[in-house]
Amino acid sequence: MAGLDVSIRKELGGFALDVSFQTGAKCLGILGASGCGKTMTLRSIAGVLSPDRGYIRLGDRVLYDSAARIDLPPQRRRVGYLFQNGALFPNMTVAENLAAGLGGRSRQEKEETVARLVGKLRLSGLEGRYPRQLSGGQQQRAALGRCLAPDPDLLLLDEPFSALDACLREELLLELRRTLEEYRGLAVLVTHSREEAFRLCGELLVLDRGRRSAFGETRALFRDPGTVQAAILTGCRNIAPGERAGGSLFRVPEWNALLDLGRPVPEGITHLGVRPRDLHPPGEGEGNRVGVFCPDILEDPARDRLVFSPEEGSQSRLWWEPEGPLPSPLPRELAVAPEDILALRE
Amino acid sequence: MDWSPVLISLKTAVPAVAVTFFLGLLLAWGVTAARGAALRAVLDGLLTLPLVLPPTVAGFFLLWVFGVKRPLGRLFLDLFGVRVAFSWGATVLAAVVISLPLMYRSARGAFDQVDRDLLDAGRTLGMSEWTLFRRVLLPNALPGVLTGGILAFARGLGEFGATAMIAGNIAGKTRTLPLAIYSAVAAGDMETAGRYVAVLLLVAFLAVAALNLLGDRRKGGSRRGGS
């Protein structure tokens, strides 16, 4: 299978994008906070934005190479782009939108492709409607069909679910996953949602302020994010700076704790992270304890979450998601197993 | 009543709006697509000038370019045997120059309102820039573009200053309605002037009514739908 090989730099209005990655994954996720350069990266790959320097290769095709002065126009890249809001043409019906990328094909071929996509994306009966007459989910399915119609080598998905409500979002996610399984090419999904990234993507690129913060196989990255930004984006809420204290020890002043990682602390580690569900009331003689005060409870239908201060009057917060019902009385200390502590770099 | 000014006005305003409409559209498209903010600003400024200057200034420049003793006017005369100044062509020319900024600005404003993502989506779908213009940009900017056309027509019909400079006020030849009103008043014939005024009022009212209808249809379009 063809791979995607990207290394680009671009400066735009005080923001600098400098990102490199190489992937063969069926679906690569680009995860990052808003304004981290996710969409800029995607637009550069699509060719609707020109980088300043670098290269973009897709399989054995060069889409962009500043050194060789190659910059294919978007029309010739064979790259599909699914926009956040679908960007369906308001002046065209669903069928016309689906056929919009089929210029130059025979009428019969157009009709067959449209009919096939209408069936696959559950749009039958809507062919003659205009985009404004469709629901958000239908619009996004039609937009997905329009991208797929010309059979692109690469599919770029720019936060395709963000304009939908939570219920529709999961439905469309399942639909998209099924579609991607049948799709012959690669896909890149830009998102700020870790659930979407986890469910759809084999590999994950974490961007932070225009730079690559972490990159790797999705599940491995969720297990061991490696960087502070990746830890935040994969759902680790308890992150605090500290310093190595020799051997396997690390001191975290904010938590008033000296924690044992059970393994030598690598050089360059600046922060520790602990996931809320990895905290527990300490067992008899267990180490790695953090004092917790001033609890606040956030009730959820399924599971309650607690917010503590590690010290009386402290501004910093410690989040805990207990397994099962809340213990009573609430613990004054929480512990974490050495293997559950994430060692992070800035 | 002498109907020749009405006829001359229509013979001027109709071809003028045809030229202005397409020229303004293409210029608006060109400036919208132009690379570089500085280039866009310069082009935009040049194309807007006739709107902010007195029409007599535009007329002065037109005379300066197309006058019989000027190189370009000479060229037209020698090559095609066409005398531009003080002819029917001059009334059209004056109307085009004066009404072009209205068409250009309306079209540009309408183009700017079209979501850039639609254009980028079209590009990734393999549409050429010309196809994009025809099938995406223009249809989605149509109400604003038509508004520009109507404004340009009304302005061309009412053109006085530049027309008087380059086309003169020759009865039965270049005397359009506004010039006929002026001449009638100058001759003390208020009754004739009043009739011409009534004709212009009627046409202007029809143009404004058409504008409003267009606006209503646009609103109706976005209210419809939702299933």
Side-chain angles (χ1 to χ4, degrees):
Chain A
M1 174 174 288
L4 176 65
D5 190 358
V6 174
S7 172
I8 47 172
R9 282 159 175 255
K10 168 92 183 167
E11 276 183 41
L12 193 70
F15 179 82
L17 179 74
D18 183 357
V19 64
S20 306
F21 59 91
Q22 196 175 1
T23 178
K26 188 102 181 101
C27 182
L28 168 76
I30 301 184
L31 193 61
S34 49
C36 72
K38 300 183 300 252
T39 295
M40 219 163 142
T41 306
L42 222 53
R43 284 178 186 262
S44 299
I45 299 174
V48 294
L49 183 77
S50 275
D52 297 335
R53 254 174 307 155
Y55 56 81
I56 300 167
R57 299 190 196 107
L58 178 59
D60 51 8
R61 291 198 300 135
V62 179
L63 303 184
Y64 173 81
D65 191 335
S66 57
R69 296 185 171 278
I70 295 174
D71 187 2
L72 282 192
Q75 285 91 342
R76 287 174 49 209
R77 292 198 176 195
R78 299 184 53 82
V79 170
Y81 200 117
L82 181 58
F83 288 82
Q84 237 177 75
N85 56 8
L88 289 169
F89 302 127
N91 57 312
M92 298 185 198
T93 62
V94 169
E96 286 167 346
N97 265 290
L98 287 173
L102 298 173
R105 321 267 165 108
S106 72
R107 172 181 288 260
Q108 193 197 351
E109 203 177 333
K110 277 186 194 176
E111 280 170 6
E112 278 172 14
T113 307
V114 169
R116 182 171 53 80
L117 289 167
V118 162
K120 201 158 100 176
L121 292 164
R122 297 191 291 122
L123 292 165
S124 48
L126 305 174
E127 295 94 329
R129 298 239 185 134
Y130 286 91
R132 62 172 183 271
Q133 299 169 315
L134 302 179
S135 71
Q138 290 166 340
Q139 281 184 20
Q140 215 50 339
R141 289 206 301 271
L144 177 63
R146 187 180 67 176
C147 297
L148 288 169
D151 191 32
D153 296 334
L154 175 69
L155 196 56
L156 303 173
L157 310 162
D158 189 358
E159 308 210 21
F161 312 109
S162 61
L164 306 175
D165 61 57
C167 232
L168 269 177
R169 195 176 295 188
E170 298 198 330
E171 234 173 82
L172 188 71
L173 189 137
L174 288 173
E175 197 132 11
L176 182 63
R177 191 161 68 182
R178 207 165 30 241
T179 308
L180 288 182
E181 272 162 20
E182 292 170 23
Y183 172 60
R184 62 170 185 88
L186 302 180
V188 178
L189 171 76
V190 151
T191 179
H192 59 255
S193 152
R194 60 178 170 277
E195 286 90 3
E196 285 169 24
F198 191 78
R199 288 167 188 166
L200 284 170
C201 305
E203 280 188 326
L204 217 51
L205 168 69
V206 177
L207 285 187
D208 180 21
R209 282 161 292 178
R211 288 176 175 273
R212 168 170 143 175
S213 171
F215 180 58
E217 196 264 319
T218 301
R219 271 146 223 277
L221 202 72
F222 268 78
R223 247 190 332 270
D224 182 16
T227 63
V228 171
Q229 195 60 24
I232 293 171
L233 290 166
T234 55
C236 179
R237 295 207 71 158
N238 302 316
I239 297 172
E243 53 186 16
R244 294 158 75 215
S248 62
L249 296 178
F250 197 87
R251 187 185 311 282
V252 183
E254 229 175 72
W255 296 343
N256 208 5
L258 183 66
L259 297 175
D260 185 353
L261 277 65
R263 58 198 188 267
V265 181
E267 213 165 309
I269 297 300
T270 56
H271 290 67
L272 288 191
V274 177
R275 295 183 192 283
R277 61 169 185 275
D278 288 336
L279 288 166
H280 52 262
E284 200 69 35
E286 189 177 353
N288 280 352
R289 295 170 182 228
V290 179
V292 288
F293 304 91
C294 317
D296 276 315
I297 302 178
L298 287 171
E299 285 105 350
D300 272 321
R303 161 184 276 196
D304 292 331
R305 286 177 299 161
L306 282 86
V307 196
F308 292 103
S309 291
E311 255 181 295
E312 227 113 19
S314 161
Q315 285 300 308
S316 96
R317 293 273 177 273
L318 212 55
W319 294 77
W320 179 37
E321 280 177 22
E323 260 178 84
L326 282 184
S328 177
L330 290 175
R332 305 300 302 263
E333 276 185 315
L334 288 173
V336 56
E339 63 272 18
D340 288 336
I341 300 176
L342 307 173
L344 306 172
R345 293 166 204 275
E346 179 70 72
Chain B
M1 184 170 97
D2 177 11
W3 284 94
S4 78
V6 180
L7 218 66
I8 292 170
S9 268
L10 287 178
K11 258 173 66 186
T12 299
V14 172
V17 78
V19 173
T20 300
F21 187 82
F22 290 105
L23 194 60
L25 263 188
L26 291 178
L27 285 170
W29 181 41
V31 173
T32 305
R35 281 170 187 245
L39 180 65
R40 267 203 302 277
V42 169
L43 289 174
D44 198 66
L46 280 176
L47 287 166
T48 308
L49 265 184
L51 190 69
V52 291
L53 285 172
T56 44
V57 173
F60 172 84
F61 279 112
L62 283 175
L63 260 184
W64 193 63
V65 173
F66 289 104
V68 183
K69 295 198 173 123
R70 308 296 309 180
L72 206 60
R74 191 83 264 162
L75 193 77
F76 269 85
L77 196 58
D78 292 350
L79 233 57
F80 312 109
V82 175
R83 204 185 69 167
V84 177
F86 305 108
S87 69
W88 162 75
T91 63
V92 177
L93 188 66
V96 166
V97 167
I98 296 300
S99 62
L100 190 62
L102 280 172
M103 182 62 212
Y104 160 76
R105 292 206 73 84
S106 300
R108 243 206 102 184
F111 289 165
D112 283 345
Q113 292 292 312
V114 175
D115 186 356
R116 314 306 298 170
D117 283 354
L118 292 184
L119 303 181
D120 282 343
R123 290 188 182 106
T124 62
L125 289 167
M127 289 178 161
S128 69
E129 294 299 320
W130 173 240
T131 308
L132 268 177
F133 175 70
R134 264 188 322 115
R135 295 200 55 204
V136 180
L137 191 60
L138 191 54
N140 288 299
L142 205 56
V145 165
L146 291 181
T147 301
I150 292 173
L151 285 175
F153 175 73
R155 182 68 189 85
L157 198 66
E159 171 40 34
F160 179 87
T163 311
M165 299 276 289
I166 179 85
N169 186 8
I170 308 165
K173 195 172 172 201
T174 65
R175 181 174 290 170
T176 58
L177 274 171
L179 285 158
I181 293 168
Y182 175 79
S183 303
V185 171
D189 184 358
M190 292 304 279
E191 199 182 323
T192 306
R195 290 207 186 97
Y196 290 144
V197 165
V199 174
L200 267 184
L201 266 176
L202 182 72
V203 176
F205 175 77
L206 287 178
V208 174
L211 271 180
N212 283 335
L213 272 178
L214 211 65
D216 284 349
R217 266 193 45 196
R218 179 163 30 165
K219 267 184 244 140
S222 60
R223 225 187 290 125
R224 235 184 301 143
S227 57

Coordinates of all heavy atoms in Angstrom, one line a residue, chain A residues 23-30 180 187 189 196-205 215-222:
Chain A
T23 N 3.7 8.0 7.1 CA 2.8 7.0 7.6 C 2.3 6.1 6.4 O 2.2 6.4 5.3 CB 1.6 7.7 8.2 OG1 0.6 6.7 8.6 CG2 0.9 8.6 7.2
G24 N 2.0 4.8 6.8 CA 1.4 3.9 5.9 C 0.1 3.4 6.5 O -0.5 2.5 6.0
A25 N -0.3 4.0 7.6 CA -1.5 3.6 8.3 C -2.7 3.9 7.4 O -2.7 4.8 6.6 CB -1.7 4.3 9.6
K26 N -3.7 3.0 7.5 CA -4.9 3.2 6.7 C -5.6 4.6 7.1 O -6.1 5.2 6.2 CB -5.9 2.1 7.1 CG -7.1 2.0 6.3 CD -7.0 0.9 5.3 CE -8.3 0.8 4.5 NZ -8.2 1.4 3.2
C27 N -5.5 4.9 8.4 CA -6.0 6.2 8.8 C -5.1 6.8 9.8 O -4.9 6.2 10.9 CB -7.4 6.1 9.3 SG -8.1 7.7 9.8
L28 N -4.5 7.9 9.4 CA -3.7 8.7 10.4 C -4.5 9.8 11.1 O -5.2 10.5 10.4 CB -2.5 9.3 9.6 CG -1.7 10.3 10.4 CD1 -0.8 9.6 11.4 CD2 -0.9 11.3 9.5
G29 N -4.4 9.9 12.4 CA -5.1 10.9 13.1 C -4.1 12.1 13.4 O -2.9 11.8 13.7
I30 N -4.5 13.3 13.2 CA -3.8 14.4 13.6 C -4.5 15.1 14.7 O -5.7 15.6 14.5 CB -3.5 15.4 12.5 CG1 -2.7 14.8 11.4 CG2 -2.7 16.6 13.0 CD1 -2.3 15.7 10.2
L180 N -14.3 3.7 5.3 CA -12.9 3.7 5.2 C -12.3 2.2 5.1 O -11.3 2.0 4.4 CB -12.2 4.3 6.5 CG -12.3 5.8 6.6 CD1 -11.6 6.3 7.8 CD2 -11.8 6.5 5.3
A187 N -6.3 7.6 4.6 CA -7.1 8.7 5.1 C -6.3 9.5 6.2 O -5.5 8.8 6.9 CB -8.4 8.3 5.6
L189 N -7.2 12.0 9.3 CA -8.3 12.6 10.1 C -7.8 13.7 11.0 O -6.9 13.4 11.9 CB -9.1 11.6 10.9 CG -10.1 12.1 11.9 CD1 -11.4 12.5 11.2 CD2 -10.4 11.1 13.0
E196 N -12.6 10.2 18.9 CA -12.6 10.0 17.4 C -11.2 9.4 17.0 O -11.2 8.5 16.2 CB -12.8 11.3 16.7 CG -14.3 11.8 16.8 CD -14.4 13.2 16.3 OE1 -13.6 13.7 15.5 OE2 -15.4 13.9 16.7
A197 N -10.1 10.0 17.5 CA -8.8 9.6 17.0 C -8.6 8.1 17.4 O -8.1 7.3 16.7 CB -7.8 10.4 17.7
F198 N -9.0 7.8 18.7 CA -8.8 6.4 19.2 C -9.6 5.4 18.4 O -9.2 4.3 18.1 CB -9.2 6.4 20.7 CG -8.8 5.1 21.4 CD1 -7.5 4.9 21.8 CD2 -9.7 4.1 21.6 CE1 -7.1 3.8 22.4 CE2 -9.4 2.9 22.3 CZ -8.1 2.8 22.7
R199 N -10.8 5.8 18.0 CA -11.7 4.8 17.3 C -11.4 4.6 15.9 O -11.7 3.6 15.3 CB -13.2 5.3 17.5 CG -13.7 5.1 18.9 CD -15.0 5.9 19.0 NE -15.4 5.9 20.5 CZ -16.3 6.7 20.9 NH1 -17.0 7.5 20.2 NH2 -16.6 6.6 22.2
L200 N -10.8 5.6 15.2 CA -10.7 5.6 13.8 C -9.3 5.4 13.3 O -9.0 4.9 12.2 CB -11.2 6.9 13.1 CG -12.7 7.0 13.0 CD1 -13.1 8.4 12.6 CD2 -13.3 6.0 12.0
C201 N -8.3 5.8 14.1 CA -6.9 5.9 13.6 C -6.0 4.9 14.1 O -5.9 4.6 15.2 CB -6.4 7.3 13.9 SG -7.5 8.6 13.4
G202 N -5.2 4.3 13.1 CA -4.1 3.4 13.5 C -2.9 4.0 14.0 O -2.2 3.5 14.9
E203 N -2.6 5.2 13.4 CA -1.5 6.0 13.9 C -1.9 7.4 14.3 O -3.0 7.9 13.8 CB -0.4 6.1 12.8 CG 0.4 4.8 12.8 CD 1.6 5.0 11.8 OE1 1.5 5.7 10.8 OE2 2.6 4.4 12.1
L204 N -1.1 8.0 15.1 CA -1.5 9.3 15.7 C -0.4 10.3 15.6 O 0.7 9.9 16.0 CB -2.0 9.1 17.1 CG -3.2 10.0 17.6 CD1 -4.4 9.9 16.6 CD2 -3.6 9.5 18.9
L205 N -0.6 11.5 15.2 CA 0.4 12.6 15.2 C -0.2 13.6 16.1 O -1.3 14.1 15.9 CB 0.6 13.1 13.8 CG 1.4 14.4 13.6 CD1 2.8 14.2 14.0 CD2 1.3 14.9 12.2
F215 N 4.3 11.1 18.0 CA 3.8 10.4 16.8 C 4.0 8.9 17.0 O 5.0 8.5 17.6 CB 4.7 10.9 15.6 CG 4.3 10.2 14.3 CD1 3.1 10.3 13.8 CD2 5.3 9.4 13.6 CE1 2.7 9.6 12.6 CE2 5.0 8.8 12.4 CZ 3.7 8.9 11.9
G216 N 3.0 8.1 16.7 CA 3.2 6.7 16.9 C 1.9 6.0 16.7 O 0.8 6.5 16.4
E217 N 2.0 4.7 17.0 CA 0.8 3.8 16.9 C -0.2 4.3 18.0 O 0.2 4.6 19.1 CB 1.2 2.4 17.1 CG 0.3 1.3 16.7 CD -0.6 0.8 17.9 OE1 0.0 0.7 19.0 OE2 -1.8 0.6 17.7
T218 N -1.5 4.3 17.6 CA -2.5 5.0 18.5 C -2.5 4.4 19.9 O -2.5 5.1 20.9 CB -3.9 4.9 17.8 OG1 -3.8 5.5 16.6 CG2 -4.9 5.6 18.7
R219 N -2.7 3.1 20.0 CA -2.9 2.5 21.3 C -1.6 2.7 22.1 O -1.7 3.0 23.3 CB -3.3 1.0 21.2 CG -4.8 0.9 21.1 CD -5.2 -0.3 20.2 NE -6.4 0.2 19.4 CZ -7.6 0.2 19.8 NH1 -7.9 -0.2 21.0 NH2 -8.6 0.6 19.0
A220 N -0.4 2.5 21.5 CA 0.8 2.7 22.2 C 0.9 4.2 22.7 O 1.3 4.4 23.9 CB 2.0 2.4 21.3
L221 N 0.5 5.1 21.9 CA 0.5 6.5 22.3 C -0.4 6.8 23.4 O -0.1 7.6 24.3 CB 0.2 7.4 21.1 CG 0.7 8.8 21.1 CD1 2.2 8.8 20.9 CD2 0.1 9.6 20.0
F222 N -1.6 6.2 23.4 CA -2.5 6.4 24.6 C -1.9 5.8 25.8 O -2.1 6.3 26.9 CB -3.9 5.8 24.2 CG -4.8 6.8 23.6 CD1 -4.7 7.1 22.2 CD2 -5.8 7.4 24.4 CE1 -5.6 8.0 21.7 CE2 -6.7 8.3 23.8 CZ -6.6 8.6 22.4

